Amino acid sequence: MSIACLEQDFLVFLKEINVYQSIIDIIEVHQITDAPLGSVDSYSSIASIISQKHLELETSKKMANFIEKLSIDEVYYQLSYVTQKSLEICIDTFNKNKLIDKDEYAKYVKLCSTSQQKWEEAKRENDFSLIAPYLEKIISYKKSIIEKFKHNYKNPYDVLLDEYEEGLSVEVIDLLFSKLKNEVVNLIKNIKKSGKIISADFLYSHVPAEKQHELAKKILCNMGFDFLRGRLNKSEHPMTGGIFDDVVVTTKYKENDMISGITGVIHEGGHGLYEQNISSLFKDTPLGILNGRCALHESQSLFWEYLTAPNIKFWSNYYSQIQKMYKPSLDKISLEQFHKAIYRLNINPIRLDSDPLSYILHIIIRYEIEKDLFNNKISVSDLPNVWRQKMKEYLGVDIQNDQEGILQDVHWFAGLFGYFPCYIVGYAYAAQFYSIVKKDLPDFDEILSKGNLQEIQQWLKSKIHHYGSSKAPLEILKTVTKEKPNSQYLIDYLYTQYNKIYSLSSN
Ligand code: ZN
């Protein structure tokens, strides 16, 4: 068979694998946005069978044959760039998956599904002991995976981190988080010491969901979201999903909270733009699927939610329209009052109800706990108390019960260990990108005040998005910023931002 024919067959096979992935993604979106509650079991069993088929294809004899034939030097160098890069990803996936016992994995998937249901009960009953045995089993499975792969890593926990963000390690995170933690703790102390209270009651006035949706759609459109290849839907928890030409961004509008649904759309819109702006050359290949880059993905949502939107110029473009649409709630509220209220310090025991500053400590606490768990320094039974101690020490919060403590997030009870740190690593990357975009687009503030957000989207597309999965996250960061991960940009940004909101320097 000629090399051209072999390459063509391989691309057709990749397309077939991609179809299975797309079905899983379509089911996920359908379940989250439209499907009735009673359909949960039906859709879960379809998704589980399709996932199994997908895994079988990725690790099949057919794949092994393609890898063997296409990896020969004289063949490899005649392949197109897209095929070469796709092949590299397939080899990596194949090698990782072949070490995983399929039966054990199937049992683990079932365990996670039961554990998530148990978690709901434990949270409702406010009783950690109901879920602790399941968590033990999940952690023990994760440790067995670590045993298989740890020889490639410096720290056992790196095995889990690398799964969500290629190249991420305890070494990189410790470097990012150690200074960041101290600075955020200090900044929060300074804000509290200033004694300034920013009133925000008006944000909780009644605004019909339809009006919020109209505004959210307008902002998303200005950000450059392509409604011909995507949509904005509603769901219980905001998320981004879908397939290559149908990127679905969702949010939840609360009629007694005029802003959280909108900031949810700005966040998910950042994720959605990343998905939509992947080069069309990568469609139907693994390069068009953003796996192993959770932190970089998060950098794109936080770039908009925590760095761009908190600039008062962003809201200045919309404010008179918002006042009209939300009449009479904001009639007596100035743009400055509105802006300060949204971005005020709002310490809360619940991560998802926190502000962009104290949120950082919520994640650092989870990271420190995960690191200690997988380095055998703490055990499952220690978790509720370790959680309380750290919340008190870093945020000054007294946790009243496990419902608002260890049981608040589903992540660990669904097997997601190594995922949490991506939120703040992504925030640090976002601040690094932000420092460059402000140099490349010197009229950045004017762009915001005129609502020409697509200029920013074009910058992100050309520097980050269009690469899809063809470059490693750290390589993209290095190419754009000429630097390694560095939290100093985030620290500087936070000081500037909170000095503006609380006028700290004049104290
Ligand atoms: Zn996100």
Side-chain angles (χ1 to χ4, degrees), residues 188 192 204 254 344-363 365-366 387 391 395-399 403-405 408:
I188 290 177
K192 283 182 176 168
Y204 305 99
K254 298 179 194 160
R344 75 199 187 282
L345 179 69
N346 186 24
I347 295 178
N348 196 298
I350 305 295
R351 173 180 70 92
L352 288 173
D353 293 336
S354 300
D355 61 90
L357 182 63
S358 57
Y359 184 84
I360 295 171
L361 297 175
H362 277 271
I363 298 299
I365 287 172
R366 287 155 175 81
W387 187 284
M391 283 298 287
L395 280 159
V397 170
D398 287 306
I399 295 295
Q403 222 169 32
E404 60 169 35
Q408 65 179 272

Side-chain angles (χ1 to χ4, degrees), residues 220 223-226 229-231 239-244 246-250 264-278 290 297 300-301 304 457 465:
L220 195 55
M223 283 166 70
F225 188 81
D226 180 359
R229 293 181 54 235
R231 51 197 153 118
M239 58 84 72
T240 302
I243 58 174
F244 202 87
D246 182 13
V247 174
V248 182
V249 165
T250 76
V265 169
I266 296 171
H267 179 99
E268 298 304 330
H271 284 304
L273 290 178
Y274 192 1
E275 297 284 345
Q276 282 195 329
N277 288 332
I278 300 169
L290 298 170
H297 221 309
Q300 296 312 291
S301 52
W304 289 98
Q457 177 245 336
H465 299 171

Side-chain angles (χ1 to χ4, degrees), residues 99-113:
L99 288 177
I100 303 210
D101 182 310
K102 305 251 175 338
D103 292 337
E104 288 292 311
Y105 181 70
K107 274 189 218 157
Y108 167 73
V109 171
K110 212 167 166 204
L111 167 68
C112 287
S113 152

Side-chain angles (χ1 to χ4, degrees), residues 343-407:
Y343 298 105
R344 75 199 187 282
L345 179 69
N346 186 24
I347 295 178
N348 196 298
I350 305 295
R351 173 180 70 92
L352 288 173
D353 293 336
S354 300
D355 61 90
L357 182 63
S358 57
Y359 184 84
I360 295 171
L361 297 175
H362 277 271
I363 298 299
I364 291 180
I365 287 172
R366 287 155 175 81
Y367 163 69
E368 290 179 350
I369 292 177
E370 289 189 4
K371 187 170 68 164
D372 283 352
L373 261 176
F374 290 100
N375 281 286
N376 299 317
K377 291 185 179 163
I378 53 172
S379 60
V380 168
S381 57
D382 298 325
L383 291 178
N385 277 338
V386 173
W387 187 284
R388 279 161 210 265
Q389 283 160 12
K390 285 185 187 282
M391 283 298 287
K392 181 74 184 165
E393 188 186 340
Y394 302 166
L395 280 159
V397 170
D398 287 306
I399 295 295
Q400 303 298 330
N401 53 55
D402 290 340
Q403 222 169 32
E404 60 169 35
I406 183 83
L407 292 173

